[in-house]
Amino acid sequence: ETHIDALSGLPSGRELQDKSGSPLIEAQNALRAASGASATSPLGRSGSPLAFIHKALQELQQLNDKKVTKKVGSKQKVAIYGSARITKGRVYESTKTIARKLAQLGFLIITGGGPGLMEAANIGAREGGSPSIGLRIVLPHEKGINKAVNIPLIFEYFFTRKFSFGVFSDGCVCMRGGFGTFDELFEFVTLKDKGKLNNFPIILFGYDELIPLFEDLQKNHFLAQPFSSVISFNDSENKTVQQMHDALRAARNNHNGYDRSIDIAFAERE
């Protein structure tokens, strides 16, 4: 298995020469210029704001690691979100089934790498014959990454992990979960509602009770566009898989490999 150390050093200026245009590289170069640091010098003492940003860039640099990009390849990727606390039952089995069927259709599965529904999705991907990515956050009350993950990436900061979900994913399925699941979900919902994220299917599985909430938001003009054009609600495993398949295939045919990650990286520039 590939394991990328989140504390490894940033590449030197020479190593960056062939990667111009990358949002991560542009951010790194801007940081160095602002701090007056050279390509190989530290960006700040421990505890300083620059040291914090330096550490965040180290975590994001995992996305450019050759071992990761080789395993990920050009497959379209579906993020599956869900609670760490659901370890059995109908929703657990549905999560495995959805992940397995998506993997069998050629999609790569991405999860938070933890237990519960995240592990169910990673197991489903393995049963479907596809490797899966686990973006694991370091938390004091939870164990390490689950054993079904093939490509583990480790994060200490939630915002770098959330950004990484955005860079890697082409769509997402949200299973049952709590605040952490909703935090990840609404990052995508907000970007899509504001027109910063296109051709990105978002499916909520088993959340029909939330429909009145979104109807109220739309009725009171709190949304930039009709919520039905931003998210979909479903409670059928097969329909969820079919809907994701159709949306991602249409996105690939219409946009011919357009790199959506650039929109996410610079969404706040405007």
Side-chain angles (χ1 to χ4, degrees):
E1 293 184 353
T2 301
H3 179 80
I4 308 303
D5 185 358
L7 300 178
S8 62
L10 291 167
S12 66
R14 182 183 296 270
E15 292 172 310
L16 298 177
Q17 288 178 357
D18 296 329
K19 299 180 180 179
S20 59
S22 162
L24 300 184
I25 301 310
E26 286 198 17
Q28 181 176 316
N29 289 340
L31 176 61
R32 293 192 191 283
S35 65
S38 69
T40 57
S41 67
L43 291 178
R45 295 179 180 179
S46 177
S48 73
L50 286 178
F52 169 79
I53 298 173
H54 182 211
K55 174 63 190 338
L57 286 171
Q58 287 178 330
E59 292 193 354
L60 292 173
Q61 191 59 41
Q62 298 176 96
L63 310 184
N64 281 338
D65 188 275
K66 291 181 180 179
K67 293 179 181 179
V68 173
T69 56
K70 183 178 180 180
K71 280 195 172 185
V72 169
S74 60
K75 283 187 175 183
Q76 288 181 296
K77 306 156 193 72
V78 178
I80 299 182
Y81 299 138
S83 174
R85 295 170 175 81
I86 300 177
T87 58
K88 59 182 179 180
R90 185 185 68 83
V91 177
Y92 184 91
E93 295 302 322
S94 290
T95 305
K96 277 205 303 184
T97 299
I98 290 170
R100 182 181 71 250
K101 291 185 176 182
L102 286 171
Q104 289 170 339
L105 290 171
F107 299 111
L108 192 147
I109 303 300
I110 307 172
T111 77
L117 298 186
M118 293 174 278
E119 183 174 37
N122 292 122
I123 292 173
R126 183 176 64 192
E127 292 176 349
S130 173
S132 62
I133 302 172
L135 307 183
R136 188 71 179 120
I137 189 74
V138 177
L139 295 174
H141 59 278
E142 291 188 8
K143 296 180 179 179
I145 203 155
N146 74 67
K147 295 181 180 179
V149 171
N150 303 102
I151 308 170
L153 305 180
I154 312 300
F155 298 85
E156 289 189 26
Y157 301 138
F158 276 100
F159 79 94
T160 55
R161 178 174 178 254
K162 195 188 301 184
F163 175 88
S164 300
F165 268 118
V167 170
F168 269 137
S169 306
D170 296 292
C172 76
V173 177
C174 185
M175 309 300 290
R176 304 295 297 196
F179 288 140
T181 300
F182 275 26
D183 177 48
E184 294 158 350
L185 167 68
F186 279 96
E187 177 79 9
F188 286 142
V189 170
T190 301
L191 287 172
K192 192 170 181 182
D193 181 55
K194 303 306 180 185
K196 295 293 185 179
L197 186 62
N198 301 310
N199 303 298
F200 189 96
I202 302 172
I203 303 174
L204 277 68
F205 184 89
Y207 275 105
D208 286 354
E209 68 271 22
L210 289 183
I211 294 178
L213 169 63
F214 284 95
E215 289 176 337
D216 183 70
L217 292 173
Q218 182 173 316
K219 178 181 178 181
N220 287 283
H221 309 289
F222 293 137
L223 305 180
Q225 53 185 302
F227 76 87
S228 59
S229 64
V230 176
I231 56 176
S232 302
F233 292 88
N234 220 317
D235 57 6
S236 164
E237 297 163 5
N238 288 335
K239 288 181 179 179
T240 296
V241 172
Q242 188 65 52
Q243 185 177 353
M244 182 61 67
H245 170 271
D246 293 347
L248 290 184
R249 287 297 181 258
R252 168 163 283 185
N253 292 337
N254 290 339
H255 291 270
N256 193 27
Y258 170 68
D259 185 3
R260 200 182 26 72
S261 65
I262 304 299
D263 282 351
I264 297 174
F266 297 106
E268 299 305 320
R269 282 191 170 185
E270 298 180 2

